[in-house]
Amino acid sequence: MIAVPRKQSWKDHYAEGKGFRQVGEVERALLAKHSPVPDGGGRALDVGCGTGELAVTLASMGYTVEAVDYAEEALMRARSDHAEVSAVRWRCLDIERDPLPEDSGDEEPGFDLITLRLSIAFMSNRTAVLRSLSAQMRPGGAIVVITPLAKTTPAERRNIALDEEEFDLVAEGFEDVSRFDAEGLAVLVLRAPDGEALVVERGRPTPQAVFGASAVVTDAQGRVLLGRSTQGMWELPAGGVESGESAQAAAVRELAEETGLTAKVADAHVVTVLHDDREDVRRVAAVVRITAWDGELALRDADKFVRWEWFPLHTLNGLGKLFAPSALALNEVWPGVVPRAPEARSYPCASPYEPVAGEPAEAVRLREQMAGNVIRGGWAPSPRVQAALRAVPRHRFLPEAPLASAYDDDIAVATVRDEGGAVVSSVSAPWLQADMAEQLRLEPGMQVLEVGSGGYNAELLANIVGDRGRVVTVDLDPFVVRRAQRLCAEAGSGRVTAVLGDGSRGAPGHVPPGGFDAVIITHTTTDLAPAWREQLAKGGRLVVPLDVGGYTRAITLVRRGDVLHAEHWTFCGFVGDRGAARPHRPHRRPGRWGGDRPVGAGDRREHDRLGGCPLR
């Protein structure tokens, strides 16, 4: 693995007046030829801009430039040396950790050109950075990487250059790759990023390696650790279980031997055991979630791996080649995070562990922004709902979604689709979830039934009812229930019980004495299931998306004696009921997925006092 200089070293480098090789004429000509400014002007991002020579070059070509570096000393020199250049905005940020500056309202999001000159060799998570940057490219845009070659760089300066294998890794995931020489520097022009992971095998395992363990480890930002193997694919730390060794001990040992990170066996938990057939070998592997570790990441097994990187979960599907057992293991911890993984038999284990901490600062900022938008919209007037919106990490229940999508207050995010592509499970828009939670009038210690699982909404309700409260969430889809269970285990409160069953029958075996204090339905229905009324306590509140005249309204019903009184409604849209009470005719929805008003978002219109309806 390449040694990565610390930030202080770069600060000292620039503070001492040092710089880097100046931009040559061949480089300028290649940039002008292969990344000309689009008609009407273009927007560029210069990553690791240093003292700003390349950023100014791009500005002279006609680009508006965002120039970023994590060394403020370099930016101070750039601002001073190029004060007359108005087309460059200098930004101090760490491209491996910090979010890019937000777009201003008067420009199209993204960049026509992204440059990394003499900087990529110093990035410890360069593949993850390139995946993230590729998502910022405008149609037809390019990423240009300029770097020294290892074969022409003295051995003592190897850390500033890339070898041929590293060039291949940089180019992986892009359909259009060109390479040029610029007076000894390699210039890579990368276009057309490929957005799908390619799950691959690495050959027949040896008959002795029939039982192994995979270690799933995340860092303080919630990113998962993967290694680039010498066979050209990304893998979890993993290996065979030795004689007399437990799966947990094997995972801890392999983690230390391959990455240098150390963990205690007490912090290693078997999530499931996987069994898949590989030709004539039955491959059995324990998926081990390691919840705490120590040490510095290092390349300890150079015969097997060429580097280790930390990846945000939502980038896994665009990663490139992912070793099949690792893809299976990742899907056991975060179900659905790697679509199109091969089939395997899974044997979940009852190995409870405390929720695993870790999230990026950007998630905290976006969560506060989402909560603020919902509160200002009037959908969360109560302090308890406001606090829940700010506390529950929504993105951790949407591991496949970018942070911006997870925290968009106005959209629902599809999580499961059927074979025809229709949405069958989702996480609804935050404003609608807040509005429905408000209508339940929840108090600490209450018992709540949710029909239609996902994880986030149940945890939102669990946060509101507090330590003495409880939420039971029911769904008829085994995958949805398993996903809710796993995501709640990773980031939940421990107060949510996910149950497999037909929600139209309520929660048999889980109904508290006297019934639930509140019941919330998260799919569209054409009628009230008797179980919802029977399992609702006197004085309890039921919120149900009801198809009325072909349009869906989330109606609030309060049980008073033997009558359900309707007190409030909000236009909305949800996926349809798939249980025994499913409607026999289609119902119209106020929006569509990907449209202006997606299902689960609604119209944000409401009405009060509809009257009452008989309890039976």
Side-chain angles (χ1 to χ4, degrees), residues 9-33:
S9 300
W10 289 113
K11 293 179 180 179
D12 295 342
H13 176 93
Y14 290 112
E16 294 168 3
K18 298 177 181 178
F20 283 97
R21 171 175 169 173
Q22 293 185 345
V23 180
E25 290 302 320
V26 176
E27 291 177 78
R28 297 175 192 271
L30 287 171
L31 285 168
K33 180 178 180 180

Short mmCIF file of all heavy atoms in Angstrom, two decimals, residues 9-33:
data_model
loop_
_atom_site.label_atom_id
_atom_site.label_comp_id
_atom_site.label_asym_id
_atom_site.label_seq_id
_atom_site.Cartn_x
_atom_site.Cartn_y
_atom_site.Cartn_z
N SER A 9 2.19 17.41 6.94
CA SER A 9 3.32 17.41 6.02
C SER A 9 3.06 18.32 4.83
O SER A 9 3.95 19.05 4.38
CB SER A 9 3.60 15.99 5.54
OG SER A 9 3.91 15.14 6.61
N TRP A 10 1.82 18.30 4.33
CA TRP A 10 1.49 19.16 3.20
C TRP A 10 1.43 20.63 3.62
O TRP A 10 1.86 21.52 2.88
CB TRP A 10 0.16 18.74 2.59
CG TRP A 10 0.26 17.43 1.87
CD1 TRP A 10 -0.32 16.25 2.20
CD2 TRP A 10 1.02 17.17 0.69
NE1 TRP A 10 0.02 15.27 1.31
CE2 TRP A 10 0.84 15.80 0.36
CE3 TRP A 10 1.84 17.95 -0.13
CZ2 TRP A 10 1.44 15.21 -0.74
CZ3 TRP A 10 2.44 17.37 -1.24
CH2 TRP A 10 2.24 16.01 -1.53
N LYS A 11 0.91 20.87 4.81
CA LYS A 11 0.90 22.26 5.30
C LYS A 11 2.32 22.80 5.39
O LYS A 11 2.59 23.93 4.97
CB LYS A 11 0.20 22.31 6.65
CG LYS A 11 -1.29 21.99 6.60
CD LYS A 11 -1.91 22.04 7.99
CE LYS A 11 -3.39 21.73 7.93
NZ LYS A 11 -4.02 21.76 9.28
N ASP A 12 3.23 21.98 5.92
CA ASP A 12 4.63 22.41 6.02
C ASP A 12 5.23 22.59 4.63
O ASP A 12 6.01 23.54 4.40
CB ASP A 12 5.43 21.37 6.80
CG ASP A 12 4.98 21.26 8.26
OD1 ASP A 12 4.30 22.19 8.74
OD2 ASP A 12 5.27 20.23 8.89
N HIS A 13 4.89 21.68 3.71
CA HIS A 13 5.42 21.75 2.34
C HIS A 13 5.11 23.10 1.71
O HIS A 13 5.99 23.77 1.15
CB HIS A 13 4.79 20.60 1.53
CG HIS A 13 5.16 20.60 0.08
ND1 HIS A 13 6.23 19.88 -0.41
CD2 HIS A 13 4.59 21.21 -1.00
CE1 HIS A 13 6.32 20.05 -1.71
NE2 HIS A 13 5.33 20.84 -2.10
N TYR A 14 3.84 23.52 1.80
CA TYR A 14 3.46 24.79 1.17
C TYR A 14 3.91 25.99 1.99
O TYR A 14 4.25 27.04 1.43
CB TYR A 14 1.94 24.81 0.98
CG TYR A 14 1.47 23.86 -0.09
CD1 TYR A 14 0.71 22.73 0.25
CD2 TYR A 14 1.79 24.05 -1.43
CE1 TYR A 14 0.27 21.83 -0.73
CE2 TYR A 14 1.36 23.17 -2.40
CZ TYR A 14 0.62 22.06 -2.05
OH TYR A 14 0.20 21.18 -3.01
N ALA A 15 3.92 25.85 3.30
CA ALA A 15 4.35 26.97 4.15
C ALA A 15 5.82 27.30 3.90
O ALA A 15 6.24 28.46 4.07
CB ALA A 15 4.12 26.64 5.61
N GLU A 16 6.61 26.30 3.50
CA GLU A 16 8.03 26.51 3.22
C GLU A 16 8.26 27.04 1.81
O GLU A 16 9.41 27.17 1.37
CB GLU A 16 8.78 25.19 3.41
CG GLU A 16 8.80 24.71 4.86
CD GLU A 16 9.28 23.28 4.99
OE1 GLU A 16 9.66 22.70 3.94
OE2 GLU A 16 9.29 22.75 6.11
N GLY A 17 7.18 27.33 1.09
CA GLY A 17 7.31 27.90 -0.25
C GLY A 17 7.51 26.88 -1.35
O GLY A 17 7.78 27.25 -2.50
N LYS A 18 7.36 25.60 -1.03
CA LYS A 18 7.55 24.56 -2.05
C LYS A 18 6.30 24.42 -2.90
O LYS A 18 5.22 24.84 -2.53
CB LYS A 18 7.88 23.22 -1.38
CG LYS A 18 9.17 23.23 -0.57
CD LYS A 18 9.39 21.90 0.11
CE LYS A 18 10.66 21.90 0.95
NZ LYS A 18 10.86 20.62 1.67
N GLY A 19 6.47 23.79 -4.07
CA GLY A 19 5.34 23.57 -4.96
C GLY A 19 5.51 22.26 -5.70
O GLY A 19 6.12 21.32 -5.17
N PHE A 20 5.00 22.20 -6.93
CA PHE A 20 5.11 21.00 -7.74
C PHE A 20 5.48 21.40 -9.16
O PHE A 20 5.51 22.58 -9.52
CB PHE A 20 3.78 20.22 -7.74
CG PHE A 20 3.55 19.43 -6.49
CD1 PHE A 20 2.77 19.92 -5.46
CD2 PHE A 20 4.14 18.18 -6.33
CE1 PHE A 20 2.56 19.19 -4.31
CE2 PHE A 20 3.94 17.44 -5.19
CZ PHE A 20 3.15 17.94 -4.17
N ARG A 21 5.72 20.40 -9.96
CA ARG A 21 6.07 20.60 -11.36
C ARG A 21 5.02 21.46 -12.05
O ARG A 21 3.82 21.23 -11.92
CB ARG A 21 6.18 19.24 -12.03
CG ARG A 21 6.32 19.25 -13.53
CD ARG A 21 6.53 17.84 -14.03
NE ARG A 21 6.42 17.74 -15.48
CZ ARG A 21 6.71 16.63 -16.16
NH1 ARG A 21 7.14 15.55 -15.52
NH2 ARG A 21 6.59 16.60 -17.48
N GLN A 22 5.45 22.46 -12.78
CA GLN A 22 4.52 23.36 -13.45
C GLN A 22 3.79 22.66 -14.59
O GLN A 22 4.26 21.67 -15.13
CB GLN A 22 5.29 24.57 -14.00
CG GLN A 22 5.87 25.48 -12.93
CD GLN A 22 6.51 26.71 -13.53
OE1 GLN A 22 6.78 26.77 -14.72
NE2 GLN A 22 6.76 27.70 -12.69
N VAL A 23 2.61 23.18 -14.91
CA VAL A 23 1.82 22.62 -16.00
C VAL A 23 2.54 22.90 -17.33
O VAL A 23 2.82 24.04 -17.67
CB VAL A 23 0.41 23.25 -16.03
CG1 VAL A 23 -0.40 22.66 -17.17
CG2 VAL A 23 -0.30 23.01 -14.70
N GLY A 24 2.82 21.81 -18.06
CA GLY A 24 3.56 21.94 -19.30
C GLY A 24 2.67 22.22 -20.50
O GLY A 24 1.45 22.07 -20.46
N GLU A 25 3.30 22.59 -21.60
CA GLU A 25 2.56 22.92 -22.81
C GLU A 25 1.84 21.69 -23.37
O GLU A 25 0.74 21.80 -23.91
CB GLU A 25 3.51 23.50 -23.87
CG GLU A 25 4.03 24.89 -23.53
CD GLU A 25 2.88 25.88 -23.34
OE1 GLU A 25 1.90 25.81 -24.11
OE2 GLU A 25 2.97 26.70 -22.41
N VAL A 26 2.47 20.51 -23.26
CA VAL A 26 1.80 19.30 -23.76
C VAL A 26 0.54 19.02 -22.96
O VAL A 26 -0.50 18.66 -23.52
CB VAL A 26 2.76 18.09 -23.71
CG1 VAL A 26 2.05 16.82 -24.15
CG2 VAL A 26 3.98 18.35 -24.61
N GLU A 27 0.62 19.21 -21.65
CA GLU A 27 -0.57 19.02 -20.82
C GLU A 27 -1.68 19.99 -21.24
O GLU A 27 -2.85 19.60 -21.36
CB GLU A 27 -0.24 19.26 -19.35
CG GLU A 27 0.64 18.20 -18.72
CD GLU A 27 0.96 18.54 -17.28
OE1 GLU A 27 0.09 18.32 -16.41
OE2 GLU A 27 2.08 19.03 -17.02
N ARG A 28 -1.32 21.24 -21.44
CA ARG A 28 -2.31 22.24 -21.85
C ARG A 28 -2.96 21.85 -23.18
O ARG A 28 -4.18 21.96 -23.34
CB ARG A 28 -1.65 23.62 -21.97
CG ARG A 28 -1.08 24.16 -20.67
CD ARG A 28 -0.34 25.48 -20.92
NE ARG A 28 0.46 25.89 -19.78
CZ ARG A 28 0.02 26.66 -18.78
NH1 ARG A 28 -1.24 27.10 -18.84
NH2 ARG A 28 0.80 26.99 -17.79
N ALA A 29 -2.13 21.38 -24.10
CA ALA A 29 -2.66 21.02 -25.42
C ALA A 29 -3.60 19.81 -25.31
O ALA A 29 -4.65 19.76 -25.96
CB ALA A 29 -1.51 20.72 -26.38
N LEU A 30 -3.23 18.84 -24.50
CA LEU A 30 -4.09 17.66 -24.33
C LEU A 30 -5.42 18.03 -23.68
O LEU A 30 -6.48 17.53 -24.07
CB LEU A 30 -3.37 16.61 -23.48
CG LEU A 30 -2.22 15.86 -24.16
CD1 LEU A 30 -1.45 15.01 -23.17
CD2 LEU A 30 -2.76 14.97 -25.30
N LEU A 31 -5.38 18.89 -22.68
CA LEU A 31 -6.62 19.34 -22.04
C LEU A 31 -7.51 20.07 -23.04
O LEU A 31 -8.73 19.86 -23.10
CB LEU A 31 -6.30 20.24 -20.85
CG LEU A 31 -5.78 19.54 -19.59
CD1 LEU A 31 -5.22 20.56 -18.60
CD2 LEU A 31 -6.89 18.74 -18.94
N ALA A 32 -6.90 20.95 -23.83
CA ALA A 32 -7.68 21.71 -24.80
C ALA A 32 -8.30 20.81 -25.86
O ALA A 32 -9.43 21.03 -26.31
CB ALA A 32 -6.79 22.77 -25.46
N LYS A 33 -7.58 19.75 -26.24
CA LYS A 33 -8.07 18.86 -27.29
C LYS A 33 -9.12 17.89 -26.78
O LYS A 33 -10.13 17.65 -27.46
CB LYS A 33 -6.90 18.09 -27.90
CG LYS A 33 -7.31 17.13 -29.02
CD LYS A 33 -6.10 16.42 -29.62
CE LYS A 33 -6.52 15.45 -30.73
NZ LYS A 33 -5.33 14.75 -31.32
#
